[in-house]
Amino acid sequence: MNVHGRERKRAGNNGVFSYSKANDIFRRNPNPPPNSSPSTLKSPDQNKLCKYWMAGHCHRGDKCWYLHSWSLGDGFTMLAKLEGHKKTIRGIALPSGHDKLYSGSSDGTARIWDGHTGKCLHFTNLGDEAGSLITEGAWVFIGMKNVVKALNIHSDLELNLKGPVGQVYAMIVAGDMLFAGAQNGGIIAWRASFETDSFQLAASLEGHNGAVSCLAVGDKMLFSGSLDKTIRVWDIDTFQCIKTFSGHADVVTSLVHCNGYLFSSSLDCTIKVLFATEGQNWVVLYTHKEENGVLTLCGMNDAETKPVLFCSYNDDTIRLYDLPSFCERGRIFSKREVRVIERGPKNLFFTGDASGSLTVWKWRQNPQGSS
């Protein structure tokens, strides 16, 4: 396994991915075709993971009715499983130009993995559960109860950023601003000074009536989702809330912004595609429905630069959808529900589940059956 590379976009499962061909498609065709399965998906039983194989002792072998693989679909492959965390992985980060992978977990530890061998080089006892972990530039940020730990990987400088109330479940960087969404419903903003390696408290954004569960940025706006079932839109320059969307029937779990479109997921078993008309009037262009609650979203491009939306469900699967059709092109299976999906350099991506397992994947340049 080699995760060394210098091509890097903003970390975090709510970052921006290339989706240039998507402009106006949802508006021209607000009802994409019903869910369809690619030819690589098999009969219902063979779309389910064999629990005996997963435990290491299925005696039926090739005659087993169930799947003996961690994935279905062409175009990507698993490189390694990194074991060490004992509880839910809350964040995975590969700093730009760095060959070491960082992870944080509910088990109260952060781990550093060698990008070439996959071995754990170091682990730190944080003293409390990690609620989130992201990277930007030379900094790794770990969201915890009532604090964000900021670690500079070049100088080993470590700062404790005070301000959040309760666990920090979501963080994102926009320009020189770091935003952290907390358990009490508040969002804390710090402004970074790269000359002095310091962070100054800039604002506290109040409005949600439940914990902030996810954040996204785009078009000079901050988007926040919450346990109160709402999405709020904030002006990054003024820190004012300019719109509240109440279209979900349960917790808003994840947000992805791309080219003016906002993808939102919820435990109400839906993924919504929203677009802002004049006056910040956000309208739902399409609603994708499934049988299970959606836990996290991640947008990325495959090896052929085609846009793909990753959606983790609470049935321990990730489904990959081509955009804008929402046609399913593959699945990833896990021991427990996947809480983190993270892009990496050189066609790599990472997943982390509630068992503490961190998996490294890679897009293949020439998937089977491609022309």
Side-chain angles (χ1 to χ4, degrees):
M1 181 189 69
N2 189 330
V3 298
H4 177 69
R6 295 185 179 275
E7 299 175 9
R8 180 69 177 164
K9 297 180 181 179
R10 178 181 295 124
N13 60 347
N14 299 311
V16 176
F17 66 105
S18 176
Y19 190 19
S20 60
K21 295 182 180 179
N23 287 337
D24 299 326
I25 290 179
F26 281 107
R27 279 178 285 176
R28 294 199 305 268
N29 180 21
N31 296 300
N35 294 354
S36 60
S37 298
S39 59
T40 51
L41 299 188
K42 305 177 183 180
S43 64
D45 284 345
Q46 289 180 306
N47 287 340
K48 296 180 180 179
L49 197 63
C50 174
K51 63 180 181 180
Y52 299 106
W53 175 84
M54 185 170 58
H57 51 77
C58 179
H59 302 299
R60 296 186 61 87
D62 294 340
K63 296 181 180 180
C64 182
W65 294 337
Y66 297 97
L67 184 67
H68 285 196
S69 174
W70 292 110
S71 65
L72 276 177
D74 294 328
F76 61 95
T77 186
M78 188 181 79
L79 296 184
K81 278 190 173 293
L82 310 184
E83 305 292 350
H85 286 298
K86 305 303 181 184
K87 293 183 179 180
T88 305
I89 292 180
R90 294 296 183 180
I92 304 169
L94 180 61
S96 178
H98 209 52
D99 61 356
K100 293 180 178 60
L101 189 68
Y102 290 74
S103 59
S105 168
S106 297
D107 64 11
T109 69
R111 289 179 177 262
I112 304 175
W113 310 85
D114 187 290
H116 301 284
T117 66
K119 293 182 179 180
C120 181
L121 299 175
H122 180 74
F123 78 93
T124 300
N125 188 341
L126 299 172
D128 208 340
E129 295 185 9
S132 51
L133 181 149
I134 65 169
T135 185
E136 181 69 20
W139 292 92
V140 173
F141 302 100
I142 305 174
M144 300 177 61
K145 186 177 180 180
N146 301 324
V147 68
V148 171
K149 288 185 177 294
L151 172 65
N152 188 303
I153 60 175
H154 293 159
S155 65
D156 289 332
L157 175 65
E158 184 174 320
L159 304 174
N160 289 324
L161 309 182
K162 301 291 187 178
V165 178
Q167 182 62 271
V168 174
Y169 293 117
M171 294 184 291
I172 199 163
V173 172
D176 63 348
M177 301 294 300
L178 170 66
F179 295 93
Q183 189 173 2
N184 73 331
I187 303 170
I188 303 299
W190 296 272
R191 192 178 303 277
S193 173
F194 299 105
E195 291 79 9
T196 60
D197 275 344
S198 63
F199 295 83
Q200 301 299 322
L201 186 63
S204 178
L205 288 62
E206 307 293 338
H208 283 298
N209 294 318
V212 175
S213 52
C214 51
L215 296 170
V217 293
D219 298 336
K220 296 184 177 180
M221 290 177 287
L222 173 72
F223 305 89
S224 58
S226 171
L227 270 65
D228 67 11
K229 308 176 186 179
T230 70
I231 298 169
R232 285 181 174 261
V233 185
W234 310 82
D235 186 299
I236 285 182
D237 294 326
T238 65
F239 304 117
Q240 297 300 308
C241 180
I242 55 180
K243 187 68 178 181
T244 301
F245 174 75
S246 303
H248 281 293
D250 209 328
V251 174
V252 180
T253 55
S254 190
L255 297 169
V256 170
H257 182 271
C258 176
N259 287 4
Y261 294 91
L262 184 67
F263 296 78
S264 65
S265 66
S266 170
L267 293 182
D268 66 9
C269 306
T270 69
I271 301 165
K272 293 184 182 292
V273 184
L274 297 92
F275 187 82
T277 59
E278 292 185 11
Q280 288 300 317
N281 180 29
W282 287 85
V283 296
V284 178
L285 301 180
Y286 174 63
T287 298
H288 182 83
K289 297 181 180 180
E290 288 286 354
E291 295 180 356
N292 299 284
V294 192
L295 301 177
T296 190
L297 305 175
C298 182
M300 67 180 81
N301 297 92
D302 66 12
E304 298 179 343
T305 70
K306 296 177 181 178
V308 182
L309 186 67
F310 284 61
C311 307
S312 169
Y313 294 90
N314 58 13
D315 65 352
D316 306 338
T317 68
I318 299 174
R319 299 188 185 187
L320 285 65
Y321 299 107
D322 282 324
L323 293 177
S325 67
F326 262 94
C327 288
E328 185 179 343
R329 63 177 286 172
R331 293 185 190 181
I332 290 174
F333 302 91
S334 192
K335 294 179 182 178
R336 295 278 305 280
E337 67 273 16
V338 171
R339 293 288 180 170
V340 179
I341 308 170
E342 172 62 45
R343 296 186 308 278
K346 296 187 176 181
N347 292 325
L348 293 171
F349 61 94
F350 312 96
T351 59
D353 72 12
S355 75
S357 181
L358 193 164
T359 307
V360 184
W361 305 83
K362 187 172 185 177
W363 290 107
R364 290 201 297 262
Q365 290 291 342
N366 297 303
Q368 299 175 11
S370 63
S371 58

